[in-house]
Amino acid sequence: MIFKSKANKALDKMEDPRETLDYSYQRQLELLQKVRRGVADVATSRKRVELQISGLEKQATRLEEQGRKALSVGREDLAREALQRRSSLQTQMADLKVQHDNLQAEEEKLTTASQRLQAKVDSFRTKKETIKATYTAAEAQTRINEAFSGISEEMGDVGLAIQRAEDKTAQMQARAGAIDELLASGALDDFSGTRGDDIQAELDRMGGGMDVELELARMKAELGQGPAPQSAIEQGQPQQQAQPQPQAQPQQQGGQTQQYRQPGEGA
């Protein structure tokens, strides 16, 4: 039962309804051809019986004439012999007429069956073409929908290939970034000669840090939070002017002149 079920499932998967319909139509045409051939054979037999009956009728007519002629010349015995033969021919003609009637009835029956079968074959052909067209359209629509949704076997393979390519690309990018970091830190030696040694790398990092500090000092100076850095003055950038300290005014007290000192000045 398991084997038959699996075989039936495999056959159903491989079966194409259009091919099945074409095969059924071909079988119906073969059956119709056999019926037509049967009609032709029966008609041929009927025609042969008619020819035999016609030949016997001619013989019977000739025997009757011979009997009449024998009586006219006084040969009664010859006339009797001719009439006996004529009677035998009439018996044969009667049998042939019965056979002819049977063949004619069979021919009419087969002709009717052939016409009915021809009508069924024509109707089946029209229905077959309609079903084939509908199936083809449904198959095309299904393939289009599967392509858009990505669930078809071909599109699934393409999607897996793209996913594998993206994974490999991400892995290679991560590997390249890790190697760059190791080369920059000096953990790996660069034999290409495009990078400096570890001392130069450390100096480059320090220089980068100094640039950041100078930029930070410049921004503070622009906001009035501190003096401009010396590098900004050297580059011709404006620097805020230092505010002069107010001088203490002399004040007389007890006939002596006393001067205020700024904090931090000596006595």
Side-chain angles (χ1 to χ4, degrees):
M1 184 179 297
I2 294 174
F3 176 77
K4 288 183 178 180
S5 63
K6 290 185 178 295
N8 187 25
K9 184 177 180 180
L11 290 175
D12 182 69
K13 185 177 181 181
M14 292 184 298
E15 182 184 8
D16 190 347
R18 293 166 295 187
E19 295 178 356
T20 304
L21 291 173
D22 290 336
Y23 178 74
S24 299
Y25 178 69
Q26 186 65 31
R27 293 285 296 176
Q28 292 184 10
L29 288 179
E30 293 176 358
L31 179 60
L32 179 61
Q33 187 66 24
K34 288 181 179 179
V35 173
R36 288 176 176 176
R37 189 179 298 112
V39 174
D41 293 339
V42 173
T44 302
S45 299
R46 177 183 58 79
K47 191 64 177 177
R48 186 181 300 113
V49 170
E50 289 178 356
L51 293 175
Q52 291 177 359
I53 292 175
S54 178
L56 293 177
E57 287 178 351
K58 290 180 180 180
Q59 292 181 13
T61 302
R62 187 174 65 253
L63 289 173
E64 184 179 0
E65 292 177 354
Q66 289 176 354
R68 290 178 182 276
K69 186 180 293 186
L71 286 176
S72 63
V73 295
R75 295 290 304 270
E76 185 176 351
D77 55 341
L78 292 178
R80 184 178 292 109
E81 181 67 21
L83 293 176
Q84 289 178 354
R85 292 182 181 180
R86 181 175 175 272
S87 177
S88 178
L89 292 178
Q90 288 179 347
T91 303
Q92 294 181 13
M93 285 188 296
D95 294 338
L96 289 176
K97 286 181 179 180
V98 173
Q99 186 178 358
H100 177 270
D101 294 339
N102 293 333
L103 290 174
Q104 189 172 6
E106 186 68 20
E107 181 182 357
E108 292 177 355
K109 185 187 299 184
L110 290 176
T111 301
T112 303
S114 176
Q115 293 174 353
R116 292 178 179 177
L117 184 58
Q118 179 67 51
K120 289 183 178 180
V121 170
D122 294 339
S123 177
F124 179 79
R125 180 180 60 186
T126 303
K127 189 174 182 179
K128 171 181 72 71
E129 295 300 329
T130 303
I131 294 175
K132 286 175 62 177
T134 305
Y135 181 83
T136 303
E139 184 182 26
Q141 186 65 33
T142 301
R143 290 185 180 276
I144 292 173
N145 293 337
E146 288 179 351
F148 276 116
S149 60
I151 62 175
S152 63
E153 183 177 356
E154 294 81 0
M155 295 302 296
D157 295 339
V158 172
L160 291 176
I162 293 176
Q163 184 64 37
R164 289 195 300 269
E166 290 178 350
D167 294 341
K168 288 183 179 181
T169 302
Q171 182 179 0
M172 293 300 294
Q173 289 177 348
R175 183 178 179 85
I179 293 175
D180 288 339
E181 291 180 359
L182 292 174
L183 289 174
S185 64
L188 293 178
D189 295 332
D190 186 7
F191 297 99
S192 63
T194 58
R195 296 179 181 269
D197 53 8
D198 53 350
I199 298 177
Q200 184 63 38
E202 185 65 24
L203 292 175
D204 293 339
R205 284 196 298 272
M206 292 176 62
M210 293 177 64
D211 293 339
V212 173
E213 294 296 331
L214 290 174
E215 183 68 18
L216 181 60
R218 185 183 65 79
M219 293 176 66
K220 288 182 177 181
E222 291 178 355
L223 296 174
Q225 298 179 1
Q230 185 65 25
S231 60
I233 298 174
E234 293 176 356
Q235 295 176 1
Q237 297 181 359
Q239 181 182 10
Q240 293 182 355
Q241 300 294 330
Q243 299 294 333
Q245 299 293 334
Q247 299 293 330
Q249 299 294 330
Q251 188 176 18
Q252 291 183 358
Q253 183 179 1
Q256 295 181 356
T257 301
Q258 201 173 29
Q259 185 178 5
Y260 290 101
R261 295 179 176 86
Q262 297 295 329
E265 292 181 357

